[in-house]
Amino acid sequence: MKISRYILPTLKEDPSDATVASHRLMVRAGLIRKESAGMYIYLPMGLKVLQKVTAIVREEMNRSGALEFLMPEMTSAELWKESGRWNTMGPEMFRIKDRNTMEYALAPTHEEAFTSAVRSLISSYRDLPLNVYQINTKFRDEIRPRFGVMRSKEFIMKDAYSFDMDEKGLDDSYQTMRKTYRTIFKRCNLETIPVEADTGAMGGSQSEEFMVASEIGEEVLLICEACGYKANQEKAEYQHGVPGNTEPEAPLAAVDTPDVRTIDDLTVFFKCGPERFMKSIVYTADGTQIMAVVPGNREINEHKLKNHLRAAELELSSDSAVEEVTGAPVGFAGPVTDRKIRMVFDTSVKGIINGITGANKKDTHYTGVNPGRDFTITEEADITIAEEGDLCPQCGKAMITRKGIEVGHIFKLGYKYSKSMSLTVLDRNGKAVHPIMGCYGIGVNRTMAAVVEQHHDDKGIVWPMTITPFQVCIVGIAKTDEEAAAVEEIYTMMKDAGIEVLLDDRKVSPGFKFADAELIGIPIRITVGKNYFNNNELEIKMRRTGESENVTKGNLLARIMEIIKQETDIIEK
Ligand code: ATP
Ligand code: MG
């Protein structure tokens, strides 16, 4: 491809709305253009990369035995009503009506659509195991589309759904996908960290997210470098410490605390550390009020709490609901009460001696509060967020935190969809049974952006050989028609050899061409200039290492082929 005949609108300046490197560079290198908030146009060079990532995903999915489909992106409301998700999907799902007022969703995901399709296609245990997938557009009305194509309203996902006869079969399908994902990301030269993820309260037993460590990541990961435990903060467990405090029990005493409500206010007022407080927060779980009690130096993990309660909905209670159940305004709740309210205590509350809590009375706190004596721990669970330095649940060593971008997700769904949508097959004994399901997603655009996030420098993108839009970029520096013809000859030679080559034949300065070549990040640059016209020497320069070497025209093809193979092998082997 000759740049003079191509569309490659590179930019010197960063786009004003781009805050992260991948977004900046993808726009500046002429890969994408913003159409409107959360929606992007892929220009020819961006599309080439997207197609290469897609090809790797497709190749590996096919290798794993999964079968490719192409599903409609408009999914009928009926399907969503069958699973019950028409009402629970919330505002992220785009809903539309046709001229006959039939309702549809622009699919944010395809569990229902695939379960329904498979329901009409299989009938016997002999049809299983089955893994079906597609590479298709998804629509999500994200609250905050951002970071370019990383979080957009319309994006391409590879989504797969497995169907098995039993848990063992599901586990095999899950492990196959886990392996396939590792290979896919490796081939894209993307270093990922698989972490345990929250499975939610409503079914699903095991789930892992593939994370790319990055400062711009929206997820927090807890990592134990000693034993390898890795989990998303939503899910991460930790060993709750043993109390070192052995002071004698003090009597329970009510103290006037006018307008002292928050933990910060309290530590100032009582001149003590936050760990002495029993923070008591009232939630509404599926319509019922509950109180969660955690040490004052800890944050409540609402995912853990929700899972513990097996609740579909969990939210902070309104001020009036708090007042109704505790008898006091917000800020004065506590576990010492005669009122009937379900309480869930974090595992570490029992270790607090002479604690301080709200007295369920306006402007009053209790001091000298002791679990067992002043209230009973009726229900105990790990309901707090694990933090940097917390002890690994597996080996007890201190964990570290990292930020991460989720690029893929594998999930054991269980029977949620096969049961709610009445998908059955006949087992060996002729009895109708529900298959057990898994689902597996990869964000294709987000993967592409994550590669840029991981492989760039201050000059631009550094494409891995496996997904680069072009393998070679020729910078021609010709002054005469004769020289231009000599440059073109090199270009034609490479093209005819099947090399993906981009020729910069624009009538601009060499410096401009070199800067653009670095910005767009093609792995191999060949300079055809004075040295070639006078001495038959071509310069090969590697974008990744900055190393350069000179070759003659006669040796060029063989050397380039060799480099392409080496650069591919580094990634894939
Ligand atoms: P997130 O927590 O980032 O919103 P999610 O949990 O909603 O992700 P899944 O439903 O598991 O994501 O989707 C599978 C994959 O699709 C994700 O791992 C991610 O790579 C990609 N993805 C999800 N939402 C978007 C989006 N708005 N834009 C681009 N890719 C997305
Ligand atoms: Mg999401």
Side-chain angles (χ1 to χ4, degrees):
M1 184 54 63
K2 297 178 179 176
I3 296 189
S4 62
R5 309 302 322 137
Y6 206 50
I7 290 185
L8 189 60
T10 53
L11 302 173
K12 281 224 162 356
E13 302 296 327
D14 289 336
S16 58
D17 64 338
T19 53
V20 301
S22 55
H23 184 190
R24 267 191 290 118
L25 290 171
M26 285 172 78
V27 174
R28 282 189 53 207
L31 306 177
I32 56 166
R33 271 291 163 87
K34 181 156 141 184
E35 199 264 348
S36 57
M39 294 198 281
Y40 285 86
I41 302 164
Y42 279 78
L43 304 182
M45 204 159 79
L47 182 60
K48 257 175 151 272
V49 180
L50 196 69
Q51 286 169 337
K52 286 202 174 181
V53 176
T54 306
I56 290 175
V57 172
R58 179 173 286 122
E59 228 174 274
E60 294 305 327
M61 288 303 292
N62 291 348
R63 199 194 307 278
S64 79
L67 304 177
E68 185 169 4
F69 279 56
L70 186 61
M71 303 295 281
E73 295 178 15
M74 271 170 63
T75 49
S76 73
E78 293 315 310
L79 290 177
W80 296 91
K81 285 177 186 164
E82 270 190 62
S83 72
R85 287 210 290 181
W86 184 254
N87 293 325
T88 58
M89 279 304 278
E92 232 181 61
M93 187 152 90
F94 285 101
R95 293 156 207 257
I96 50 173
K97 284 193 182 111
D98 72 7
R99 66 179 75 201
N100 300 316
T101 69
M102 283 281 286
E103 289 184 297
Y104 301 86
L106 291 178
T109 177
H110 274 85
E111 280 83 2
E112 284 80 355
F114 264 109
T115 305
S116 160
V118 165
R119 181 170 59 184
S120 68
L121 294 169
I122 66 170
S123 55
S124 155
Y125 70 95
R126 288 190 203 89
D127 300 324
L128 303 184
L130 178 67
N131 191 356
V132 293
Y133 82 98
Q134 64 173 342
I135 301 173
N136 204 351
T137 302
K138 297 280 182 273
F139 300 87
R140 293 186 185 178
D141 194 356
E142 299 277 355
I143 300 183
R144 287 181 68 199
R146 58 193 182 141
F147 302 157
V149 300
M150 287 250 193
R151 184 172 297 286
S152 47
K153 287 186 179 163
E154 187 182 327
F155 59 97
I156 296 171
M157 197 201 285
K158 183 289 298 168
D159 49 327
Y161 306 86
S162 67
F163 300 82
D164 280 279
M165 284 303 285
D166 51 32
E167 299 240 356
K168 165 78 177 63
L170 170 60
D171 195 54
D172 289 346
S173 299
Y174 182 89
Q175 296 304 338
T176 301
M177 280 298 101
R178 193 171 194 274
K179 217 170 107 211
T180 299
Y181 274 36
R182 281 179 173 267
T183 311
I184 289 171
F185 294 127
K186 181 169 173 17
R187 290 188 61 192
C188 295
N189 206 17
L190 193 59
E191 224 174 278
T192 56
I193 311 171
V195 303
E196 288 182 20
D198 182 35
T199 51
M202 307 308 280
S205 53
Q206 193 179 359
S207 163
E208 272 161 292
E209 290 161 343
F210 285 74
M211 296 285 188
V212 175
S214 165
E215 266 315 299
I216 65 152
E218 296 176 281
E219 313 279 338
V220 177
L221 323 177
L222 271 289
I223 298 176
C224 173
E225 292 178 308
C227 78
Y229 175 78
K230 299 184 186 81
N232 189 321
Q233 197 170 39
E234 288 177 357
K235 147 105 188 181
E237 295 163 14
Y238 67 99
Q239 289 187 16
H240 292 242
V242 184
N245 184 350
T246 51
E247 64 189 77
E249 283 190 0
L252 186 68
V255 179
D256 277 348
T257 52
D259 260 337
V260 182
R261 294 164 197 260
T262 66
I263 292 294
D264 283 347
D265 295 344
L266 287 162
T267 50
V268 173
F269 185 91
F270 286 103
K271 299 187 182 59
C272 65
E275 63 285 350
R276 199 176 272 277
F277 298 97
M278 297 170 187
K279 185 158 67 179
S280 308
I281 309 282
V282 181
Y283 283 92
T284 308
D286 293 340
T288 307
Q289 315 298 327
I290 67 110
M291 191 190 286
V293 185
V294 305
N297 59 340
R298 285 286 175 180
E299 296 301 325
I300 295 180
N301 182 327
E302 293 182 357
H303 296 275
K304 288 183 182 173
L305 180 60
K306 192 171 159 190
N307 291 347
H308 171 78
L309 295 166
R310 301 193 155 273
E313 304 285 335
L314 181 78
E315 56 184 10
L316 284 172
S317 296
S318 64
D319 291 1
S320 58
V322 173
E323 192 145 2
E324 196 178 308
V325 296
T326 66
V330 173
F332 301 97
V336 185
T337 176
D338 295 331
R339 290 170 179 255
K340 291 263 170 298
I341 175 168
R342 180 176 175 186
M343 293 185 198
V344 182
F345 294 88
D346 184 65
T347 323
S348 46
V349 171
K350 64 172 173 284
I352 300 176
I353 298 173
N354 299 331
I356 301 171
T357 78
N360 301 309
K361 190 173 158 206
K362 188 171 186 300
D363 294 339
T364 313
H365 278 78
Y366 284 131
T367 59
V369 182
N370 288 291
R373 187 193 70 185
D374 304 316
F375 63 90
T376 312
I377 295 193
T378 41
E379 196 172 333
E380 191 181 64
D382 170 7
I383 54 166
T384 41
I385 296 177
E387 279 155 19
E388 174 103 23
D390 278 340
L391 305 183
C392 172
Q394 287 179 1
C395 76
K397 296 267 162 47
M399 296 187 285
I400 58 165
T401 54
R402 286 274 173 280
K403 284 190 190 156
I405 304 167
E406 176 196 323
V407 287
H409 193 179
I410 57 178
F411 197 103
K412 287 187 182 173
L413 281 172
Y415 296 99
K416 178 170 163 133
Y417 298 94
S418 55
K419 282 197 175 154
S420 62
M421 298 183 71
S422 308
L423 162 64
T424 58
V425 292
L426 297 181
D427 71 7
R428 278 173 198 283
N429 306 315
K431 187 172 151 244
V433 295
H434 297 292
I436 185 165
M437 291 174 59
C439 73
Y440 316 92
I442 290 182
V444 179
N445 328 59
R446 192 183 284 184
T447 297
M448 171 176 167
V451 172
V452 177
E453 205 59 48
Q454 218 167 62
H455 300 287
H456 71 270
D457 59 20
D458 54 354
K459 300 194 187 79
I461 302 173
V462 184
W463 285 118
M465 189 58 86
T466 46
I467 63 166
T468 181
F470 295 93
Q471 296 164 319
V472 172
C473 170
I474 298 178
V475 173
I477 305 171
K479 293 216 172 64
T480 63
D481 287 352
E482 217 181 1
E483 287 176 351
V487 173
E488 181 131 357
E489 192 194 5
I490 299 285
Y491 164 69
T492 308
M493 180 173 89
M494 313 225 66
K495 208 170 76 159
D496 290 351
I499 293 167
E500 296 174 289
V501 55
L502 182 70
L503 169 64
D504 195 346
D505 58 341
R506 293 175 296 178
K507 299 207 165 9
V508 293
S509 74
F512 190 92
K513 290 185 181 183
F514 287 134
D516 263 5
E518 294 196 301
L519 174 62
I520 63 181
I522 308 302
I524 306 172
R525 186 184 82 194
I526 302 175
T527 308
V528 189
K530 224 166 37 202
N531 243 353
Y532 177 61
F533 309 133
N534 299 337
N535 310 321
N536 187 30
E537 279 203 336
L538 297 149
E539 188 207 44
I540 298 176
K541 185 159 190 209
M542 298 302 301
R543 178 68 178 91
R544 187 169 68 82
T545 58
E547 284 166 8
S548 60
E549 64 187 73
N550 289 335
V551 292
T552 60
K553 184 180 158 198
N555 292 332
L556 180 66
L557 266 188
R559 182 66 188 128
I560 294 297
M561 298 287 204
E562 188 180 32
I563 295 176
I564 291 174
K565 180 163 186 323
Q566 275 169 0
E567 289 289 304
T568 308
D569 286 352
I570 290 175
I571 296 165
E572 296 197 337
K573 292 240 160 100

